[in-house]
Amino acid sequence: MAIESYENLLMGLKKLRLPAMAEMLDSYAKQAVSNNMSYVDFLSGLISEELKSKERKGVESRIRSARFPVLKSLSDFDYGFQPSVNRKKLEELSSLRFIDNKENVLLLGPPGVGKTLMGIGLGVKACEAGYKVLFTTLNEMLSVMTSSLADNSFTSKCRTFVCPSLLIIDEVGYLPVSKEGANFLFQVVAKRYETGSIILTSNKSFADWGEVLGDSVVASALWNRLLHHSTVFNIKGESYRLREKKAELVREERKVG
Ligand code: ADP
Ligand code: MG
């Protein structure tokens, strides 16, 4: 290929925003000559590189926008350690049908049993499958909504939590919620009811939600909407964090002894 037409082609690909094709052009052109490739095979090979690259970048960008505190995968989950987590139920959720059906997932249990790991694992899968996801702790979400009142951005901030196909609300119950906070949470849950999925994690059972939210009527209305179409995991068991710590202490004691 003449240098001039090669450079024009390269520039055209860049202008058309096909960077992977531009990057692979040289090596593909050489391969095409040495393998006596047809024009169609040459072009379809280059296009499939561009599609793969766009797909990869899409997943990366969705994962970035989801704002996970750390990346975890469901394949890291040790079912042997946490037998109260039904493997079939979690694997069924990994099919992500619950997102298409606008259903919720409630992950309840004491600290360290893997609630956040399960939430992030499902969230990452959803990003890989093309869904828009947002991860937030309840506290973070309420503080964004509270400060939005000062600059009149409440409606747009509310949309941030209402629009994603999957909203993960982590750590409900660790910190008490003000009356206004309970009201904000109710608005988000009510707006998403039957229109978008929520994964919610809590260390508190329903009986204690009235106390957390400072209002048993709001708590009951919230619970009603969350529970209506949902899969619930009531995780009982030891903290994975403490297990690691305990094993460390035992090793140290053995060394000393
Ligand atoms: P929770 O949100 O219930 O407090 P986390 O999901 O934050 O618990 O889990 C605490 C730590 O232990 C994390 O590093 C997590 O990856 C790990 N962990 C918890 N449960 C399991 C499990 N069953 N298998 C593997 N790692 C686990
Ligand atoms: Mg957690």
Side-chain angles (χ1 to χ4, degrees):
M1 203 183 325
I3 293 231
E4 198 183 329
S5 48
Y6 176 76
E7 279 178 355
N8 278 341
L9 181 50
L10 213 53
M11 204 159 35
L13 289 173
K14 282 181 186 157
K15 272 193 183 158
L16 287 167
R17 296 183 195 283
L18 300 168
M21 283 178 80
E23 196 184 314
M24 301 296 286
L25 181 62
D26 188 40
S27 65
Y28 255 76
K30 283 180 185 141
Q31 254 186 63
V33 172
S34 58
N35 297 348
N36 209 8
M37 223 184 260
S38 72
Y39 294 120
V40 170
D41 284 347
F42 167 73
L43 191 57
S44 77
L46 265 186
I47 288 176
S48 103
E49 291 293 342
E50 187 64 51
L51 288 173
K52 271 192 274 175
S53 153
K54 285 205 163 30
E55 169 70 23
R56 210 171 35 244
K57 283 187 182 150
V59 172
E60 282 164 11
S61 141
R62 283 190 294 278
I63 287 181
R64 259 195 318 276
S65 318
R67 300 177 166 275
F68 296 112
V70 55
L71 286 184
K72 301 247 168 178
S73 160
L74 282 182
S75 59
D76 299 334
F77 198 84
D78 176 355
Y79 291 90
F81 181 74
Q82 213 58 268
S84 72
V85 171
N86 183 317
R87 183 178 196 138
K88 278 228 167 78
K89 209 154 103 175
L90 190 53
E91 281 172 356
E92 160 59 23
L93 287 178
S94 315
S95 74
L96 306 175
R97 266 195 293 274
F98 76 99
I99 301 182
D100 291 330
N101 297 340
K102 329 281 186 208
E103 293 168 359
N104 301 324
V105 179
L106 305 179
L107 304 170
L108 311 175
V113 292
K115 303 183 296 297
T116 304
L117 163 61
M118 288 163 72
I120 295 176
L122 288 169
V124 169
K125 265 205 163 276
C127 291
E128 286 166 353
Y131 295 99
K132 191 165 184 254
V133 177
L134 182 67
F135 180 102
T136 178
T137 62
L138 176 63
N139 212 32
E140 234 179 294
M141 179 171 92
L142 298 184
S143 94
V144 168
M145 292 176 96
T146 307
S147 24
S148 74
L149 293 177
D151 61 5
N152 286 330
S153 63
F154 181 78
T155 314
S156 81
K157 289 289 160 31
C158 195
R159 229 179 283 130
T160 311
F161 300 107
V162 173
C163 283
S165 309
L166 172 63
L167 176 69
I168 305 171
I169 309 177
D170 200 21
E171 297 184 352
V172 176
Y174 284 112
L175 299 170
V177 173
S178 67
K179 204 167 174 56
E180 186 184 53
N183 187 356
F184 290 156
L185 175 61
F186 180 78
Q187 288 194 49
V188 170
V189 171
K191 285 204 171 94
R192 293 187 67 89
Y193 177 63
E194 296 185 338
T195 68
S197 295
I198 295 177
I199 295 180
L200 183 143
T201 83
S202 179
N203 62 326
K204 294 271 165 53
S205 65
F206 169 58
D208 301 322
W209 273 42
E211 196 186 316
V212 172
L213 301 178
D215 187 326
S216 57
V217 177
V218 173
S220 159
L222 252 176
W223 196 253
N224 221 280
R225 281 163 180 76
L226 284 169
L227 213 57
H228 186 197
H229 309 288
S230 69
T231 303
V232 181
F233 285 82
N234 245 314
I235 313 170
K236 295 181 178 74
E238 262 202 79
S239 161
Y240 202 85
R241 290 189 195 103
L242 295 187
R243 173 192 102 142
E244 286 175 346
K245 205 75 213 157
K246 274 184 195 161
E248 212 176 282
L249 289 175
V250 169
R251 277 196 300 274
E252 274 172 20
E253 270 171 23
R254 281 206 188 120
K255 260 192 233 158
V256 174

